[in-house]
Amino acid sequence: MTGSGDAPPIAERLGRMIRIPTVSAELDTRGTAPFEEFVALLAELYPLTRAQLERERIGELGLLYRWRGARADDPIVLMAHFDVVPARAEDGWTFDPFAGRIADGWVHGRGALDDKGPLLVILEAVEQLLREGVTPARDVYLSFGGNEETYGTAAATIAETLHDRGVTPWLVLDEGGAVVDAPLPFVTGRAAMIGLGEKGVATLRLEAAGDGGHASAPRGPTAIARLARAVDRLDAGTFRPRVPASIARMLAVLAPRATGIAAPGLRLLSRLPRLAGPVLARVGGESAALVRTTIAATRQAGGTADNVLPARATATFNVRIIPGETIGSVIARVRRRIRDPRVSVELVGGDDPSPEAPADGPAFAALSAAVAAAFPDALVVPYLMMQASDARHFHRRWRPVYRFAPLEMSAQQRAAIHGVDERVEIASLERGRDFHIALIRGLA
């Protein structure tokens, strides 16, 4: 099955979205034509949404819809982005990443999970409710950005626009957590992971200086040697572990699902964050990333010829900052760790960690009720999102901002986000639609 009439309509629509290569990192080469094509496709696929909701373009790559409800105050904002990261078939994809292939109950391709699938289930819910003649209890805004993957300004401009108009959202929901199996080692069952906040993000560029010259007569540490030593010092232990309130709460909620001695262990760790940090850090992987700032070298450059010593060499680092730390404290820590005056540290760009939304009150309860309707076996669990999202632009102004994509994602699927063979199950898309239907119906 490759996108024929045999596939369910919801899968066909996502397949068509995936076939449009809205790669924001390639905007300079591709131009805006794919993005304009995508906007036109939404109007074609969701005619009632186009006809009955107010739609406006915010900047070049922002889309804002307003669905007027019974009351205009305290609206909700449902967010997603329609740009994707690059993908090449030769990197090992089973199917062409932009073919929108539908096979064996799955939709394959770049953006299936991040973030065209979550965008689709929002529009599927709105279109169905419009067919049924539903008027929501309060206004519903749909905020779609086209440059999230390049840390662009589309969502920031939308947030600023709403703020300038005096809009104060009761609830904002963007991508983030998902419905997962066994969220921690020794924890059983499915969990709907709802992000209360997200880590900060920073891009740092290290530049090492050395004596240039002919490679036949090196003198002292070269620029590349200095850089290599600096990179080696910025290992997993660069930043001390710490446990934000959202992670302590996550441990407490997951404790009843833990097996054996893990159950009392998680309860104890939830009450003793100074102990929980080092313990989770030792587990490694996603568990360690939940409790510490992470730093990873992503690019390096230096040298112009095989027999020439470069005078300078550079490395770029991606940093994800835990709440309680800032960009300033990160840079200071990196400099102390390197301990080399001939290696400079430059901030290319970034944002501090977001505040944390409340895990109690009516907004979180509304999300929990929608999860119960669409994923009745999933435990609702608050957590801290490790990635950066467009939600951070809203969280600067409003507190009830949450991060949850109502789709089921295995560990393998999560690894495929920004990787190879990204895909989503059609049944999961249908449940994601049902989540948003329940959320909007429950606004009263």
Side-chain angles (χ1 to χ4, degrees):
M1 190 186 302
T2 61
S4 68
D6 296 331
I10 192 171
E12 288 282 3
R13 286 190 279 269
L14 180 56
R16 292 186 64 184
M17 291 183 185
I18 290 171
R19 289 171 205 138
I20 301 176
T22 50
V23 183
S24 50
E26 299 172 357
L27 188 62
D28 290 342
T29 55
R30 292 182 184 268
T32 59
F35 297 85
E36 295 301 324
E37 183 182 355
F38 189 87
V39 172
L41 177 66
L42 295 186
E44 175 192 341
L45 296 180
Y46 302 101
L48 295 179
T49 300
R50 180 66 183 96
Q52 298 186 38
L53 272 63
E54 302 165 20
R55 191 196 77 171
E56 59 183 311
R57 301 292 292 269
I58 306 293
E60 188 176 47
L61 294 173
L63 271 179
L64 180 65
Y65 297 79
R66 183 182 183 183
W67 186 7
R68 290 187 180 269
R71 53 187 284 191
D73 58 326
D74 295 332
I76 70 167
V77 181
L78 303 177
M79 299 178 62
H81 64 88
F82 53 92
D83 64 317
V84 298
V85 296
R88 300 182 305 169
E90 56 266 32
D91 288 339
W93 286 73
T94 303
F95 304 115
D96 185 315
F98 292 107
R101 178 72 175 264
I102 302 168
D104 302 320
W106 295 76
V107 184
H108 300 256
R110 177 59 84 220
L113 295 173
D114 184 21
D115 190 38
K116 290 179 178 177
L119 183 149
L120 169 123
V121 298
I122 293 172
L123 288 170
E124 291 286 325
V126 170
E127 191 79 2
Q128 179 166 323
L129 290 171
L130 289 172
R131 281 197 299 270
E132 296 173 5
V134 170
T135 298
R138 62 183 80 213
D139 282 4
V140 176
Y141 287 90
L142 312 181
S143 171
F144 301 150
N147 54 11
E148 190 269 354
E149 299 291 3
T150 52
Y151 306 107
T153 60
T157 305
I158 292 173
E160 182 180 4
T161 299
L162 293 175
H163 181 264
D164 291 345
R165 292 175 182 175
V167 175
T168 302
W170 180 75
L171 166 67
V172 179
L173 183 63
D174 195 11
E175 63 171 332
V179 178
V180 304
D181 290 317
L184 283 179
F186 309 108
V187 174
T188 61
R190 301 210 303 168
M193 308 298 293
I194 298 180
L196 304 185
E198 66 184 50
K199 283 183 162 184
V201 61
T203 299
L204 303 182
R205 180 178 294 121
L206 273 60
E207 184 173 81
D211 294 329
H214 200 285
S216 63
R219 303 182 304 278
T222 65
I224 290 177
R226 288 184 180 276
L227 184 66
R229 185 171 60 188
V231 171
D232 186 58
R233 287 175 175 173
L234 298 176
D235 58 15
T238 298
F239 298 95
R240 298 184 181 90
R242 62 174 69 217
V243 178
S246 55
I247 299 304
R249 188 152 192 161
M250 179 194 78
L251 297 174
V253 172
L254 288 175
R257 289 277 188 97
T259 59
I261 62 171
L266 288 182
R267 280 193 290 270
L268 177 64
L269 293 178
S270 70
R271 301 189 197 103
L272 299 173
R274 289 189 178 181
L275 175 63
V279 169
L280 291 177
R282 285 194 174 189
V283 173
E286 290 184 353
S287 298
L290 287 171
V291 295
R292 68 162 28 132
T293 292
T294 61
I295 183 167
T298 55
R299 291 192 293 169
Q300 61 180 3
T304 57
D306 293 345
N307 61 348
V308 175
L309 297 174
R312 298 194 175 275
T314 63
T316 301
F317 284 80
N318 183 268
V319 186
R320 303 300 171 125
I321 308 168
I322 200 83
E325 296 177 353
T326 65
I327 289 175
S329 69
V330 162
I331 293 174
R333 179 72 174 171
V334 167
R335 285 174 175 154
R336 289 196 302 272
R337 190 85 169 182
I338 292 172
R339 300 191 309 276
D340 189 337
R342 300 199 71 182
V343 177
S344 64
V345 181
E346 174 195 358
L347 173 66
V348 178
D351 290 289
D352 284 332
S354 77
E356 294 187 15
D360 47 28
F364 193 83
L367 295 175
S368 299
V371 168
F375 307 95
D377 64 329
L379 178 69
V380 176
V381 181
Y383 89 116
L384 176 71
M385 182 175 164
M386 291 176 282
Q387 300 83 9
S389 73
D390 277 340
R392 69 190 186 279
H393 302 300
F394 284 73
H395 224 151
R396 290 172 183 157
R397 294 177 170 86
W398 304 292
R399 194 174 178 219
V401 178
Y402 299 90
R403 295 152 176 86
F404 174 66
L407 298 174
E408 291 138 311
M409 298 187 198
S410 66
Q412 184 182 37
Q413 284 176 279
R414 297 197 300 277
I417 295 175
H418 291 205
V420 172
D421 279 351
E422 186 177 351
R423 64 176 187 161
V424 64
E425 193 173 14
I426 296 171
S428 183
L429 294 172
E430 293 167 344
R431 285 187 281 272
R433 174 202 60 206
D434 294 344
F435 167 89
H436 282 295
I437 288 174
L439 179 62
I440 294 170
R441 285 188 179 278
L443 292 179

